[in-house]
Amino acid sequence: MNVITASNSQSGTPGLIRRLGKALSTPFDPEDYLALFDPLQSAREIRARVIGVHRESDQAVTLTLQPNRLWKGHRAGQHVLLGVDIQGVRHQRCFSLSSAPGGAPTISVKRQGQGGVSDHLVSHCREGDLLTLAEPAGDFVLPDAVPERLLMVTAGSGITPVHSIVKSLLASNFDGKVTWVHFERRYRDLMLSDSLAVLRRDPRLDLRLVLSGDSPRDGDQAGRLDEHWLTDNIDDAAGQTVFTCGPAGFLDTVMG
C-alpha cells in the first residue's frame, strides 16, 4: 500500500488624502499608488477579496476568493498560508484549498473554539473583506501518472484537500475508479456536504460516509476506523494508492 498523507479598512475621502500624502513622501512602486484606490492591488503580496461566503453550518464556512494578479493558481491538494487582520494585528494560519484548480479558489474553515483565525473567519468574515495569501505549497498532490484506482481516507477537516483532488479528477478525463471513505462524528460536523452530494452522482466515485455519533442515512454507515476497517470493507485496500488526511491519531491508524 502506497500511502500519501497530509496533516490537517476605513474608507472615505479624508482617509484617502492622508494615505496619499504619506505615499507621496515615501518611495513607492507605481502599483502601490494603485493600491491607494483599490486595496486589492499590490506589487508585493497576494491579496484576495472575499466574493462568496457559504455557511456550511454554524461551525463552518466556505469562502470564495478573488486574488489579485500575483496569484498563479494551485495544484489540487495544496495548502496556503492565509493572513487576516484582527483588531489591527495580522494573523496567519495554513488552510488547505478546497477548490479544484482553474476557478476561483476556496477555503473551507471549521471553528476551533480557541478564538483564533479559524473562529474569526467563521464568525466575522463577510463578502468584500480582504485577506492575504502566500504561494500555494505542499506535496499532497496526485502524481503525474495518476493510478487507475485510488483510495481516499479522511476525517474531520481532512476532507478539504481531498475534496479538491477528487473534484479535479472528476472534472478531467480520468477513467479510473476512486473510493473515498470519510469518517465523521455527526452530520452537522460535515463540511462541503452540498458539493459531496453532487460528486456522489459520478459513477467513477464510490463515496462512503462513516458516522460514529449519528444514525446513518441511506447509503451511509455507522462505525469508526480501526486497524482492520479498511481491509474488512474495501476490496484490495492494500493494493491501492492511498491518500489520507486527518488528525494525527487517525493517520497513525490508517498507516498502521
PDB file of all heavy atoms in Angstrom, residues 8 110 151-160 162 179-186 189-191 196 206-212 220-221 223 229 245-247 250:
ATOM      1  N   ASN A   8      -3.547  17.468   8.966  1.00  0.00           N
ATOM      2  CA  ASN A   8      -4.608  18.501   8.768  1.00  0.00           C
ATOM      3  C   ASN A   8      -4.201  19.984   9.249  1.00  0.00           C
ATOM      4  O   ASN A   8      -3.762  20.151  10.093  1.00  0.00           O
ATOM      5  CB  ASN A   8      -5.837  17.894   9.280  1.00  0.00           C
ATOM      6  CG  ASN A   8      -7.055  18.598   8.854  1.00  0.00           C
ATOM      7  OD1 ASN A   8      -6.969  19.447   8.113  1.00  0.00           O
ATOM      8  ND2 ASN A   8      -8.132  18.301   9.281  1.00  0.00           N
ATOM      9  N   LYS A 110     -13.376  25.345   9.636  1.00  0.00           N
ATOM     10  CA  LYS A 110     -14.215  24.892  10.748  1.00  0.00           C
ATOM     11  C   LYS A 110     -13.782  25.617  12.025  1.00  0.00           C
ATOM     12  O   LYS A 110     -12.596  25.793  12.288  1.00  0.00           O
ATOM     13  CB  LYS A 110     -14.083  23.380  10.926  1.00  0.00           C
ATOM     14  CG  LYS A 110     -14.966  22.802  12.029  1.00  0.00           C
ATOM     15  CD  LYS A 110     -14.872  21.279  12.091  1.00  0.00           C
ATOM     16  CE  LYS A 110     -15.599  20.634  10.938  1.00  0.00           C
ATOM     17  NZ  LYS A 110     -15.681  19.149  11.091  1.00  0.00           N
ATOM     18  N   LEU A 151      -7.612   5.236  -3.387  1.00  0.00           N
ATOM     19  CA  LEU A 151      -8.374   5.134  -2.150  1.00  0.00           C
ATOM     20  C   LEU A 151      -8.084   6.372  -1.308  1.00  0.00           C
ATOM     21  O   LEU A 151      -6.944   6.625  -0.929  1.00  0.00           O
ATOM     22  CB  LEU A 151      -7.986   3.867  -1.380  1.00  0.00           C
ATOM     23  CG  LEU A 151      -8.609   3.672   0.012  1.00  0.00           C
ATOM     24  CD1 LEU A 151     -10.135   3.704  -0.047  1.00  0.00           C
ATOM     25  CD2 LEU A 151      -8.114   2.370   0.632  1.00  0.00           C
ATOM     26  N   MET A 152      -9.118   7.164  -1.042  1.00  0.00           N
ATOM     27  CA  MET A 152      -9.015   8.354  -0.216  1.00  0.00           C
ATOM     28  C   MET A 152      -9.629   8.059   1.148  1.00  0.00           C
ATOM     29  O   MET A 152     -10.760   7.563   1.226  1.00  0.00           O
ATOM     30  CB  MET A 152      -9.753   9.530  -0.863  1.00  0.00           C
ATOM     31  CG  MET A 152      -9.424   9.754  -2.331  1.00  0.00           C
ATOM     32  SD  MET A 152      -7.726  10.331  -2.541  1.00  0.00           S
ATOM     33  CE  MET A 152      -7.699  10.684  -4.304  1.00  0.00           C
ATOM     34  N   VAL A 153      -8.894   8.366   2.221  1.00  0.00           N
ATOM     35  CA  VAL A 153      -9.380   8.103   3.571  1.00  0.00           C
ATOM     36  C   VAL A 153      -9.199   9.380   4.385  1.00  0.00           C
ATOM     37  O   VAL A 153      -8.070   9.842   4.596  1.00  0.00           O
ATOM     38  CB  VAL A 153      -8.612   6.939   4.236  1.00  0.00           C
ATOM     39  CG1 VAL A 153      -9.257   6.586   5.576  1.00  0.00           C
ATOM     40  CG2 VAL A 153      -8.583   5.719   3.324  1.00  0.00           C
ATOM     41  N   THR A 154     -10.307   9.969   4.843  1.00  0.00           N
ATOM     42  CA  THR A 154     -10.239  11.258   5.517  1.00  0.00           C
ATOM     43  C   THR A 154     -11.098  11.274   6.773  1.00  0.00           C
ATOM     44  O   THR A 154     -11.976  10.436   6.965  1.00  0.00           O
ATOM     45  CB  THR A 154     -10.709  12.393   4.581  1.00  0.00           C
ATOM     46  OG1 THR A 154     -12.048  12.115   4.122  1.00  0.00           O
ATOM     47  CG2 THR A 154      -9.790  12.530   3.376  1.00  0.00           C
ATOM     48  N   ALA A 155     -10.813  12.274   7.610  1.00  0.00           N
ATOM     49  CA  ALA A 155     -11.623  12.509   8.809  1.00  0.00           C
ATOM     50  C   ALA A 155     -11.610  13.993   9.112  1.00  0.00           C
ATOM     51  O   ALA A 155     -10.599  14.681   8.891  1.00  0.00           O
ATOM     52  CB  ALA A 155     -11.082  11.723   9.993  1.00  0.00           C
ATOM     53  N   GLY A 156     -12.731  14.513   9.625  1.00  0.00           N
ATOM     54  CA  GLY A 156     -12.799  15.905  10.040  1.00  0.00           C
ATOM     55  C   GLY A 156     -12.426  16.868   8.931  1.00  0.00           C
ATOM     56  O   GLY A 156     -12.838  16.743   7.783  1.00  0.00           O
ATOM     57  N   SER A 157     -11.574  17.854   9.267  1.00  0.00           N
ATOM     58  CA  SER A 157     -11.153  18.865   8.301  1.00  0.00           C
ATOM     59  C   SER A 157     -10.241  18.308   7.225  1.00  0.00           C
ATOM     60  O   SER A 157      -9.958  19.001   6.239  1.00  0.00           O
ATOM     61  CB  SER A 157     -10.435  20.008   9.031  1.00  0.00           C
ATOM     62  OG  SER A 157     -11.319  20.660   9.927  1.00  0.00           O
ATOM     63  N   GLY A 158      -9.796  17.073   7.390  1.00  0.00           N
ATOM     64  CA  GLY A 158      -9.001  16.425   6.350  1.00  0.00           C
ATOM     65  C   GLY A 158      -9.773  16.251   5.052  1.00  0.00           C
ATOM     66  O   GLY A 158      -9.196  15.894   4.024  1.00  0.00           O
ATOM     67  N   ILE A 159     -11.061  16.529   5.100  1.00  0.00           N
ATOM     68  CA  ILE A 159     -11.894  16.419   3.899  1.00  0.00           C
ATOM     69  C   ILE A 159     -11.506  17.449   2.841  1.00  0.00           C
ATOM     70  O   ILE A 159     -11.684  17.219   1.641  1.00  0.00           O
ATOM     71  CB  ILE A 159     -13.380  16.577   4.285  1.00  0.00           C
ATOM     72  CG1 ILE A 159     -14.303  16.090   3.167  1.00  0.00           C
ATOM     73  CG2 ILE A 159     -13.708  18.027   4.648  1.00  0.00           C
ATOM     74  CD1 ILE A 159     -15.772  16.076   3.577  1.00  0.00           C
ATOM     75  N   THR A 160     -10.947  18.610   3.250  1.00  0.00           N
ATOM     76  CA  THR A 160     -10.810  19.729   2.324  1.00  0.00           C
ATOM     77  C   THR A 160      -9.807  19.490   1.191  1.00  0.00           C
ATOM     78  O   THR A 160     -10.149  19.711   0.024  1.00  0.00           O
ATOM     79  CB  THR A 160     -10.492  21.038   3.069  1.00  0.00           C
ATOM     80  OG1 THR A 160      -9.349  20.862   3.899  1.00  0.00           O
ATOM     81  CG2 THR A 160     -11.676  21.444   3.922  1.00  0.00           C
ATOM     82  N   VAL A 162      -8.679  16.663  -0.009  1.00  0.00           N
ATOM     83  CA  VAL A 162      -9.133  15.532  -0.819  1.00  0.00           C
ATOM     84  C   VAL A 162     -10.343  15.939  -1.654  1.00  0.00           C
ATOM     85  O   VAL A 162     -10.499  15.478  -2.793  1.00  0.00           O
ATOM     86  CB  VAL A 162      -9.428  14.314   0.075  1.00  0.00           C
ATOM     87  CG1 VAL A 162     -10.140  13.210  -0.710  1.00  0.00           C
ATOM     88  CG2 VAL A 162      -8.121  13.772   0.655  1.00  0.00           C
ATOM     89  N   THR A 179     -12.283   5.443  -4.642  1.00  0.00           N
ATOM     90  CA  THR A 179     -13.060   5.121  -3.450  1.00  0.00           C
ATOM     91  C   THR A 179     -12.667   6.127  -2.375  1.00  0.00           C
ATOM     92  O   THR A 179     -11.481   6.295  -2.084  1.00  0.00           O
ATOM     93  CB  THR A 179     -12.776   3.696  -2.951  1.00  0.00           C
ATOM     94  OG1 THR A 179     -13.104   2.759  -3.976  1.00  0.00           O
ATOM     95  CG2 THR A 179     -13.609   3.382  -1.712  1.00  0.00           C
ATOM     96  N   TRP A 180     -13.653   6.810  -1.827  1.00  0.00           N
ATOM     97  CA  TRP A 180     -13.374   7.832  -0.809  1.00  0.00           C
ATOM     98  C   TRP A 180     -14.202   7.504   0.427  1.00  0.00           C
ATOM     99  O   TRP A 180     -15.422   7.469   0.389  1.00  0.00           O
ATOM    100  CB  TRP A 180     -13.727   9.201  -1.354  1.00  0.00           C
ATOM    101  CG  TRP A 180     -13.446  10.352  -0.422  1.00  0.00           C
ATOM    102  CD1 TRP A 180     -12.846  10.314   0.804  1.00  0.00           C
ATOM    103  CD2 TRP A 180     -13.768  11.731  -0.660  1.00  0.00           C
ATOM    104  NE1 TRP A 180     -12.756  11.568   1.345  1.00  0.00           N
ATOM    105  CE2 TRP A 180     -13.319  12.457   0.469  1.00  0.00           C
ATOM    106  CE3 TRP A 180     -14.392  12.399  -1.711  1.00  0.00           C
ATOM    107  CZ2 TRP A 180     -13.472  13.838   0.568  1.00  0.00           C
ATOM    108  CZ3 TRP A 180     -14.545  13.775  -1.617  1.00  0.00           C
ATOM    109  CH2 TRP A 180     -14.080  14.482  -0.492  1.00  0.00           C
ATOM    110  N   VAL A 181     -13.484   7.246   1.533  1.00  0.00           N
ATOM    111  CA  VAL A 181     -14.133   6.966   2.811  1.00  0.00           C
ATOM    112  C   VAL A 181     -13.869   8.145   3.744  1.00  0.00           C
ATOM    113  O   VAL A 181     -12.709   8.468   4.024  1.00  0.00           O
ATOM    114  CB  VAL A 181     -13.602   5.665   3.444  1.00  0.00           C
ATOM    115  CG1 VAL A 181     -14.396   5.341   4.709  1.00  0.00           C
ATOM    116  CG2 VAL A 181     -13.659   4.510   2.460  1.00  0.00           C
ATOM    117  N   HIS A 182     -14.942   8.773   4.194  1.00  0.00           N
ATOM    118  CA  HIS A 182     -14.781   9.908   5.118  1.00  0.00           C
ATOM    119  C   HIS A 182     -15.440   9.559   6.448  1.00  0.00           C
ATOM    120  O   HIS A 182     -16.617   9.174   6.501  1.00  0.00           O
ATOM    121  CB  HIS A 182     -15.405  11.178   4.555  1.00  0.00           C
ATOM    122  CG  HIS A 182     -15.258  12.350   5.488  1.00  0.00           C
ATOM    123  ND1 HIS A 182     -14.047  12.959   5.734  1.00  0.00           N
ATOM    124  CD2 HIS A 182     -16.178  13.015   6.256  1.00  0.00           C
ATOM    125  CE1 HIS A 182     -14.211  13.936   6.597  1.00  0.00           C
ATOM    126  NE2 HIS A 182     -15.490  13.994   6.937  1.00  0.00           N
ATOM    127  N   PHE A 183     -14.669   9.707   7.517  1.00  0.00           N
ATOM    128  CA  PHE A 183     -15.153   9.420   8.867  1.00  0.00           C
ATOM    129  C   PHE A 183     -15.515  10.737   9.565  1.00  0.00           C
ATOM    130  O   PHE A 183     -14.735  11.687   9.577  1.00  0.00           O
ATOM    131  CB  PHE A 183     -14.079   8.688   9.676  1.00  0.00           C
ATOM    132  CG  PHE A 183     -13.792   7.295   9.180  1.00  0.00           C
ATOM    133  CD1 PHE A 183     -12.901   7.092   8.130  1.00  0.00           C
ATOM    134  CD2 PHE A 183     -14.408   6.194   9.755  1.00  0.00           C
ATOM    135  CE1 PHE A 183     -12.636   5.810   7.661  1.00  0.00           C
ATOM    136  CE2 PHE A 183     -14.144   4.907   9.288  1.00  0.00           C
ATOM    137  CZ  PHE A 183     -13.256   4.717   8.242  1.00  0.00           C
ATOM    138  N   GLU A 184     -16.702  10.766  10.146  1.00  0.00           N
ATOM    139  CA  GLU A 184     -17.194  11.966  10.826  1.00  0.00           C
ATOM    140  C   GLU A 184     -18.022  11.539  12.010  1.00  0.00           C
ATOM    141  O   GLU A 184     -18.606  10.444  12.019  1.00  0.00           O
ATOM    142  CB  GLU A 184     -18.053  12.791   9.850  1.00  0.00           C
ATOM    143  CG  GLU A 184     -18.296  14.217  10.261  1.00  0.00           C
ATOM    144  CD  GLU A 184     -17.028  15.046  10.259  1.00  0.00           C
ATOM    145  OE1 GLU A 184     -16.563  15.457   9.185  1.00  0.00           O
ATOM    146  OE2 GLU A 184     -16.499  15.278  11.382  1.00  0.00           O
ATOM    147  N   ARG A 185     -18.096  12.391  13.031  1.00  0.00           N
ATOM    148  CA  ARG A 185     -18.916  12.049  14.197  1.00  0.00           C
ATOM    149  C   ARG A 185     -20.404  12.212  13.885  1.00  0.00           C
ATOM    150  O   ARG A 185     -21.192  11.292  14.049  1.00  0.00           O
ATOM    151  CB  ARG A 185     -18.530  12.922  15.394  1.00  0.00           C
ATOM    152  CG  ARG A 185     -17.168  12.601  15.999  1.00  0.00           C
ATOM    153  CD  ARG A 185     -17.012  13.287  17.336  1.00  0.00           C
ATOM    154  NE  ARG A 185     -18.002  12.818  18.293  1.00  0.00           N
ATOM    155  CZ  ARG A 185     -18.288  13.444  19.446  1.00  0.00           C
ATOM    156  NH1 ARG A 185     -17.671  14.568  19.747  1.00  0.00           N
ATOM    157  NH2 ARG A 185     -19.186  12.945  20.255  1.00  0.00           N
ATOM    158  N   ARG A 186     -20.778  13.420  13.457  1.00  0.00           N
ATOM    159  CA  ARG A 186     -22.199  13.712  13.232  1.00  0.00           C
ATOM    160  C   ARG A 186     -22.372  14.423  11.892  1.00  0.00           C
ATOM    161  O   ARG A 186     -21.445  15.048  11.379  1.00  0.00           O
ATOM    162  CB  ARG A 186     -22.753  14.602  14.351  1.00  0.00           C
ATOM    163  CG  ARG A 186     -22.688  13.987  15.733  1.00  0.00           C
ATOM    164  CD  ARG A 186     -23.116  14.990  16.795  1.00  0.00           C
ATOM    165  NE  ARG A 186     -22.193  16.120  16.836  1.00  0.00           N
ATOM    166  CZ  ARG A 186     -21.141  16.178  17.646  1.00  0.00           C
ATOM    167  NH1 ARG A 186     -20.868  15.162  18.460  1.00  0.00           N
ATOM    168  NH2 ARG A 186     -20.359  17.237  17.630  1.00  0.00           N
ATOM    169  N   ASP A 189     -21.411  18.050  11.656  1.00  0.00           N
ATOM    170  CA  ASP A 189     -19.981  18.369  11.608  1.00  0.00           C
ATOM    171  C   ASP A 189     -19.413  18.302  10.194  1.00  0.00           C
ATOM    172  O   ASP A 189     -18.270  18.708   9.962  1.00  0.00           O
ATOM    173  CB  ASP A 189     -19.186  17.387  12.493  1.00  0.00           C
ATOM    174  CG  ASP A 189     -19.615  17.445  13.951  1.00  0.00           C
ATOM    175  OD1 ASP A 189     -19.900  18.559  14.433  1.00  0.00           O
ATOM    176  OD2 ASP A 189     -19.659  16.382  14.598  1.00  0.00           O
ATOM    177  N   LEU A 190     -20.188  17.790   9.258  1.00  0.00           N
ATOM    178  CA  LEU A 190     -19.691  17.545   7.904  1.00  0.00           C
ATOM    179  C   LEU A 190     -19.572  18.837   7.108  1.00  0.00           C
ATOM    180  O   LEU A 190     -20.525  19.614   7.015  1.00  0.00           O
ATOM    181  CB  LEU A 190     -20.622  16.576   7.182  1.00  0.00           C
ATOM    182  CG  LEU A 190     -20.254  16.185   5.747  1.00  0.00           C
ATOM    183  CD1 LEU A 190     -18.942  15.405   5.718  1.00  0.00           C
ATOM    184  CD2 LEU A 190     -21.376  15.370   5.119  1.00  0.00           C
ATOM    185  N   MET A 191     -18.407  19.083   6.538  1.00  0.00           N
ATOM    186  CA  MET A 191     -18.214  20.226   5.651  1.00  0.00           C
ATOM    187  C   MET A 191     -18.413  19.796   4.202  1.00  0.00           C
ATOM    188  O   MET A 191     -18.277  18.625   3.856  1.00  0.00           O
ATOM    189  CB  MET A 191     -16.806  20.808   5.825  1.00  0.00           C
ATOM    190  CG  MET A 191     -16.574  21.459   7.175  1.00  0.00           C
ATOM    191  SD  MET A 191     -15.113  22.543   7.179  1.00  0.00           S
ATOM    192  CE  MET A 191     -13.801  21.366   6.919  1.00  0.00           C
ATOM    193  N   LEU A 196     -20.429  17.427  -1.938  1.00  0.00           N
ATOM    194  CA  LEU A 196     -20.293  15.967  -1.878  1.00  0.00           C
ATOM    195  C   LEU A 196     -21.499  15.281  -2.510  1.00  0.00           C
ATOM    196  O   LEU A 196     -21.362  14.255  -3.179  1.00  0.00           O
ATOM    197  CB  LEU A 196     -20.130  15.504  -0.434  1.00  0.00           C
ATOM    198  CG  LEU A 196     -18.850  15.927   0.285  1.00  0.00           C
ATOM    199  CD1 LEU A 196     -18.855  15.399   1.723  1.00  0.00           C
ATOM    200  CD2 LEU A 196     -17.614  15.433  -0.453  1.00  0.00           C
ATOM    201  N   ASP A 206     -16.859   6.186  -5.606  1.00  0.00           N
ATOM    202  CA  ASP A 206     -17.559   5.433  -4.564  1.00  0.00           C
ATOM    203  C   ASP A 206     -17.302   6.172  -3.257  1.00  0.00           C
ATOM    204  O   ASP A 206     -16.255   6.014  -2.638  1.00  0.00           O
ATOM    205  CB  ASP A 206     -17.035   3.999  -4.507  1.00  0.00           C
ATOM    206  CG  ASP A 206     -17.675   3.184  -3.385  1.00  0.00           C
ATOM    207  OD1 ASP A 206     -18.640   3.659  -2.759  1.00  0.00           O
ATOM    208  OD2 ASP A 206     -17.171   2.064  -3.120  1.00  0.00           O
ATOM    209  N   LEU A 207     -18.249   7.013  -2.848  1.00  0.00           N
ATOM    210  CA  LEU A 207     -18.086   7.834  -1.649  1.00  0.00           C
ATOM    211  C   LEU A 207     -18.839   7.197  -0.488  1.00  0.00           C
ATOM    212  O   LEU A 207     -20.049   6.975  -0.564  1.00  0.00           O
ATOM    213  CB  LEU A 207     -18.619   9.251  -1.909  1.00  0.00           C
ATOM    214  CG  LEU A 207     -18.610  10.226  -0.722  1.00  0.00           C
ATOM    215  CD1 LEU A 207     -17.211  10.410  -0.158  1.00  0.00           C
ATOM    216  CD2 LEU A 207     -19.213  11.569  -1.143  1.00  0.00           C
ATOM    217  N   ARG A 208     -18.115   6.935   0.577  1.00  0.00           N
ATOM    218  CA  ARG A 208     -18.712   6.295   1.749  1.00  0.00           C
ATOM    219  C   ARG A 208     -18.524   7.195   2.963  1.00  0.00           C
ATOM    220  O   ARG A 208     -17.395   7.529   3.340  1.00  0.00           O
ATOM    221  CB  ARG A 208     -18.064   4.937   2.013  1.00  0.00           C
ATOM    222  CG  ARG A 208     -18.035   4.028   0.789  1.00  0.00           C
ATOM    223  CD  ARG A 208     -17.509   2.658   1.130  1.00  0.00           C
ATOM    224  NE  ARG A 208     -17.246   1.870  -0.073  1.00  0.00           N
ATOM    225  CZ  ARG A 208     -16.894   0.592  -0.053  1.00  0.00           C
ATOM    226  NH1 ARG A 208     -16.756  -0.055   1.105  1.00  0.00           N
ATOM    227  NH2 ARG A 208     -16.671  -0.051  -1.190  1.00  0.00           N
ATOM    228  N   LEU A 209     -19.624   7.575   3.585  1.00  0.00           N
ATOM    229  CA  LEU A 209     -19.593   8.388   4.789  1.00  0.00           C
ATOM    230  C   LEU A 209     -19.852   7.488   5.990  1.00  0.00           C
ATOM    231  O   LEU A 209     -20.863   6.794   6.039  1.00  0.00           O
ATOM    232  CB  LEU A 209     -20.655   9.489   4.698  1.00  0.00           C
ATOM    233  CG  LEU A 209     -20.711  10.502   5.834  1.00  0.00           C
ATOM    234  CD1 LEU A 209     -19.392  11.247   5.967  1.00  0.00           C
ATOM    235  CD2 LEU A 209     -21.862  11.483   5.607  1.00  0.00           C
ATOM    236  N   VAL A 210     -18.917   7.500   6.937  1.00  0.00           N
ATOM    237  CA  VAL A 210     -18.998   6.624   8.110  1.00  0.00           C
ATOM    238  C   VAL A 210     -19.168   7.494   9.352  1.00  0.00           C
ATOM    239  O   VAL A 210     -18.316   8.332   9.666  1.00  0.00           O
ATOM    240  CB  VAL A 210     -17.734   5.752   8.233  1.00  0.00           C
ATOM    241  CG1 VAL A 210     -17.878   4.780   9.401  1.00  0.00           C
ATOM    242  CG2 VAL A 210     -17.479   4.987   6.930  1.00  0.00           C
ATOM    243  N   LEU A 211     -20.283   7.292  10.071  1.00  0.00           N
ATOM    244  CA  LEU A 211     -20.629   8.117  11.234  1.00  0.00           C
ATOM    245  C   LEU A 211     -20.426   7.345  12.532  1.00  0.00           C
ATOM    246  O   LEU A 211     -20.839   6.191  12.643  1.00  0.00           O
ATOM    247  CB  LEU A 211     -22.090   8.572  11.155  1.00  0.00           C
ATOM    248  CG  LEU A 211     -22.494   9.691  10.190  1.00  0.00           C
ATOM    249  CD1 LEU A 211     -21.764  10.979  10.526  1.00  0.00           C
ATOM    250  CD2 LEU A 211     -22.287   9.302   8.749  1.00  0.00           C
ATOM    251  N   SER A 212     -19.805   8.010  13.509  1.00  0.00           N
ATOM    252  CA  SER A 212     -19.620   7.366  14.805  1.00  0.00           C
ATOM    253  C   SER A 212     -20.592   7.870  15.855  1.00  0.00           C
ATOM    254  O   SER A 212     -20.745   7.250  16.907  1.00  0.00           O
ATOM    255  CB  SER A 212     -18.186   7.594  15.312  1.00  0.00           C
ATOM    256  OG  SER A 212     -17.932   8.981  15.489  1.00  0.00           O
ATOM    257  N   ASP A 220     -25.099   5.582   3.771  1.00  0.00           N
ATOM    258  CA  ASP A 220     -24.000   5.791   4.701  1.00  0.00           C
ATOM    259  C   ASP A 220     -23.950   4.626   5.684  1.00  0.00           C
ATOM    260  O   ASP A 220     -24.795   3.730   5.647  1.00  0.00           O
ATOM    261  CB  ASP A 220     -24.178   7.122   5.446  1.00  0.00           C
ATOM    262  CG  ASP A 220     -24.230   8.314   4.500  1.00  0.00           C
ATOM    263  OD1 ASP A 220     -23.604   8.232   3.422  1.00  0.00           O
ATOM    264  OD2 ASP A 220     -24.896   9.312   4.836  1.00  0.00           O
ATOM    265  N   GLN A 221     -22.966   4.644   6.558  1.00  0.00           N
ATOM    266  CA  GLN A 221     -22.864   3.548   7.520  1.00  0.00           C
ATOM    267  C   GLN A 221     -22.319   4.037   8.844  1.00  0.00           C
ATOM    268  O   GLN A 221     -21.693   5.102   8.930  1.00  0.00           O
ATOM    269  CB  GLN A 221     -21.986   2.414   6.967  1.00  0.00           C
ATOM    270  CG  GLN A 221     -20.550   2.791   6.663  1.00  0.00           C
ATOM    271  CD  GLN A 221     -19.824   1.706   5.890  1.00  0.00           C
ATOM    272  OE1 GLN A 221     -19.702   1.769   4.676  1.00  0.00           O
ATOM    273  NE2 GLN A 221     -19.351   0.706   6.607  1.00  0.00           N
ATOM    274  N   GLY A 223     -19.959   3.439  12.316  1.00  0.00           N
ATOM    275  CA  GLY A 223     -18.689   2.812  12.659  1.00  0.00           C
ATOM    276  C   GLY A 223     -17.601   3.830  12.920  1.00  0.00           C
ATOM    277  O   GLY A 223     -17.828   5.032  12.905  1.00  0.00           O
ATOM    278  N   TRP A 229     -10.463  -1.899   9.642  1.00  0.00           N
ATOM    279  CA  TRP A 229     -11.626  -1.395   8.922  1.00  0.00           C
ATOM    280  C   TRP A 229     -11.404  -1.395   7.413  1.00  0.00           C
ATOM    281  O   TRP A 229     -12.258  -1.870   6.645  1.00  0.00           O
ATOM    282  CB  TRP A 229     -11.985   0.014   9.392  1.00  0.00           C
ATOM    283  CG  TRP A 229     -13.380   0.420   8.992  1.00  0.00           C
ATOM    284  CD1 TRP A 229     -14.494   0.361   9.771  1.00  0.00           C
ATOM    285  CD2 TRP A 229     -13.804   0.908   7.705  1.00  0.00           C
ATOM    286  NE1 TRP A 229     -15.598   0.783   9.054  1.00  0.00           N
ATOM    287  CE2 TRP A 229     -15.200   1.128   7.784  1.00  0.00           C
ATOM    288  CE3 TRP A 229     -13.166   1.182   6.506  1.00  0.00           C
ATOM    289  CZ2 TRP A 229     -15.951   1.602   6.715  1.00  0.00           C
ATOM    290  CZ3 TRP A 229     -13.908   1.646   5.425  1.00  0.00           C
ATOM    291  CH2 TRP A 229     -15.280   1.870   5.540  1.00  0.00           C
ATOM    292  N   CYS A 245      -5.872  12.054   5.022  1.00  0.00           N
ATOM    293  CA  CYS A 245      -5.700  13.333   5.703  1.00  0.00           C
ATOM    294  C   CYS A 245      -6.672  13.401   6.869  1.00  0.00           C
ATOM    295  O   CYS A 245      -7.861  13.090   6.726  1.00  0.00           O
ATOM    296  CB  CYS A 245      -5.947  14.488   4.736  1.00  0.00           C
ATOM    297  SG  CYS A 245      -5.526  16.118   5.397  1.00  0.00           S
ATOM    298  N   GLY A 246      -6.150  13.801   8.032  1.00  0.00           N
ATOM    299  CA  GLY A 246      -6.973  13.887   9.224  1.00  0.00           C
ATOM    300  C   GLY A 246      -6.095  14.101  10.439  1.00  0.00           C
ATOM    301  O   GLY A 246      -4.897  14.374  10.314  1.00  0.00           O
ATOM    302  N   PRO A 247      -6.651  13.961  11.637  1.00  0.00           N
ATOM    303  CA  PRO A 247      -5.862  14.135  12.860  1.00  0.00           C
ATOM    304  C   PRO A 247      -4.730  13.116  12.944  1.00  0.00           C
ATOM    305  O   PRO A 247      -4.770  12.052  12.318  1.00  0.00           O
ATOM    306  CB  PRO A 247      -6.890  13.907  13.973  1.00  0.00           C
ATOM    307  CG  PRO A 247      -8.216  14.138  13.328  1.00  0.00           C
ATOM    308  CD  PRO A 247      -8.078  13.700  11.901  1.00  0.00           C
ATOM    309  N   PHE A 250      -5.565   9.503  13.787  1.00  0.00           N
ATOM    310  CA  PHE A 250      -6.268   8.900  12.663  1.00  0.00           C
ATOM    311  C   PHE A 250      -5.267   8.431  11.606  1.00  0.00           C
ATOM    312  O   PHE A 250      -5.362   7.314  11.086  1.00  0.00           O
ATOM    313  CB  PHE A 250      -7.238   9.923  12.088  1.00  0.00           C
ATOM    314  CG  PHE A 250      -7.964   9.479  10.843  1.00  0.00           C
ATOM    315  CD1 PHE A 250      -9.114   8.721  10.927  1.00  0.00           C
ATOM    316  CD2 PHE A 250      -7.505   9.836   9.590  1.00  0.00           C
ATOM    317  CE1 PHE A 250      -9.800   8.322   9.791  1.00  0.00           C
ATOM    318  CE2 PHE A 250      -8.174   9.444   8.441  1.00  0.00           C
ATOM    319  CZ  PHE A 250      -9.320   8.678   8.549  1.00  0.00           C
TER     320      PHE A 250
END
